[in-house]
Amino acid sequence: MKQRMISIIIVGARGRMGTTLIREVMGSDDLTLGACVDRSGGPGIGQDAGRLAGRPDTGVLVTDELKPRRGSVVVDFSLPKATATNVRACVEHGIPLIIGTTGLSEDDDKLLAEAGESIPVVYAANFSVGITLLLQLAGIAAAALGPQWEAELFELHHRFKRDAPSGTALRIGQAVAEASGRKFSEVALTDRSTLGRPRTSEEIGVFGLRGGDSPGEHTLMFLGEGERIELTHRAGDRAIFARGALRAARWAAAQPPGLYDMFDVLGLAE
Ligand code: NAD
């Protein structure tokens, strides 16, 4: 029997993630490139998506307007200012949305929750399978160790990343806080330079380093008396995020409406 092909619409197509997604879709057996969208007036508009990604021509030209089509899944890795328009377009056309853009506002979060009432939405600050497991391990460790083991985490990303600390680092901090009965917004610390006091046992330090070309490294430390646990994930290649997002797209194509994350996609949700 012929496999059903899923058409993928990539938003942010000219970006680092967009071009990686184009290559991954072109290399897959069950996905086709439905459309590629980028910012109006940007340099990639009108170019062939394959050429943009350093591959042969595909016949799909990059456009500046998202027109979701039935049977497609939209995969959006662009910028927060584009999120609201893209979410509304997917809702209007009843098309599943995979969203990887980080640094979203509270209003965007609300919009995603509302969109989940009518379409499948998968939102993850990090689509890597390894990070999804790290999040789960962070929760297990925090619950077992308790707040006497002080939690600190740092992340490193390439020089171009705009938001800091990374969405993933904040998500890891949140997993630690939730598993040990703390409210992350009350205990998160991203700058100690003006505090002028020692740390409290409750606080969770989250710090971002920027430079070079790393697609993302996260280290979570639990610091105890005379011993320390470190959980580290290193992304060697941003294709891991693209593969995770496309795994989510295949999964979302067959789901009822809802706001999902990678735990749902991997079957790890409670
Ligand atoms: P990038 O700057 O290389 O690419 C962003 C692209 O979005 C650019 O081509 C830009 O022109 C385009 N864009 C801007 N405004 C737009 C609009 N209104 N409509 C359509 N396209 C628009 O950035 P990147 O490194 O590819 O990352 C993109 C986003 O994905 C960032 O928010 C980044 O933090 C996030 N990211 C998420 C994950 C994850 O796993 N969730 C992994 C890597 C990156």
Side-chain angles (χ1 to χ4, degrees), residues 67-83:
K67 290 185 192 153
R69 283 187 294 268
R70 287 239 163 254
S72 309
V73 179
V74 170
V75 180
D76 181 354
F77 282 72
S78 58
L79 291 182
K81 65 179 179 210
T83 300

Side-chain angles (χ1 to χ4, degrees), residues 30 41 64 71 78 92 99 106 111 126 130 143 180 196 210 216 219 248 253-254:
D30 60 339
D64 60 2
S78 58
E92 191 184 328
I99 183 146
E106 278 182 21
L111 199 61
N126 191 311
S180 52
R210 292 290 171 269
T219 292

Side-chain angles (χ1 to χ4, degrees), residues 39-86:
R39 166 176 72 83
S40 186
I45 304 301
Q47 277 188 38
D48 189 281
R51 188 168 300 192
L52 201 65
R55 293 285 189 271
D57 281 359
T58 56
V60 176
L61 304 184
V62 179
T63 70
D64 60 2
E65 199 187 347
L66 174 58
K67 290 185 192 153
R69 283 187 294 268
R70 287 239 163 254
S72 309
V73 179
V74 170
V75 180
D76 181 354
F77 282 72
S78 58
L79 291 182
K81 65 179 179 210
T83 300
T85 311
N86 298 336

Side-chain angles (χ1 to χ4, degrees), residues 10-19 37-40 42-43 63-64 76-83 85-86 99-104 123-128 157-158 160-163 167-168 215 238 240-242 245:
I10 298 172
V11 182
R14 203 181 63 85
R16 285 175 291 268
M17 278 303 298
T19 46
V37 184
D38 208 283
R39 166 176 72 83
S40 186
T63 70
D64 60 2
D76 181 354
F77 282 72
S78 58
L79 291 182
K81 65 179 179 210
T83 300
T85 311
N86 298 336
I99 183 146
T101 308
T102 60
L104 298 189
Y123 174 53
N126 191 311
F127 273 96
S128 121
H157 277 87
H158 56 86
F160 301 110
K161 187 165 175 62
R162 289 161 203 249
D163 50 316
T168 301
R238 59 174 53 83
I240 63 168
F241 309 119

Side-chain angles (χ1 to χ4, degrees), residues 204-266:
I204 300 172
V206 189
F207 304 100
L209 314 181
R210 292 290 171 269
D213 59 359
S214 169
E217 301 185 11
H218 293 82
T219 292
L220 168 63
M221 293 184 185
F222 290 99
L223 300 126
E225 287 293 320
E227 52 185 334
R228 175 161 99 204
I229 297 169
E230 293 185 15
L231 296 172
T232 295
H233 177 269
R234 292 195 181 92
D237 181 337
R238 59 174 53 83
I240 63 168
F241 309 119
R243 279 183 222 120
L246 294 173
R247 185 166 170 170
R250 292 178 178 97
W251 180 86
Q255 296 305 311
L259 178 59
Y260 303 105
D261 58 21
M262 271 307 267
F263 289 101
D264 298 298
V265 174
L266 300 182

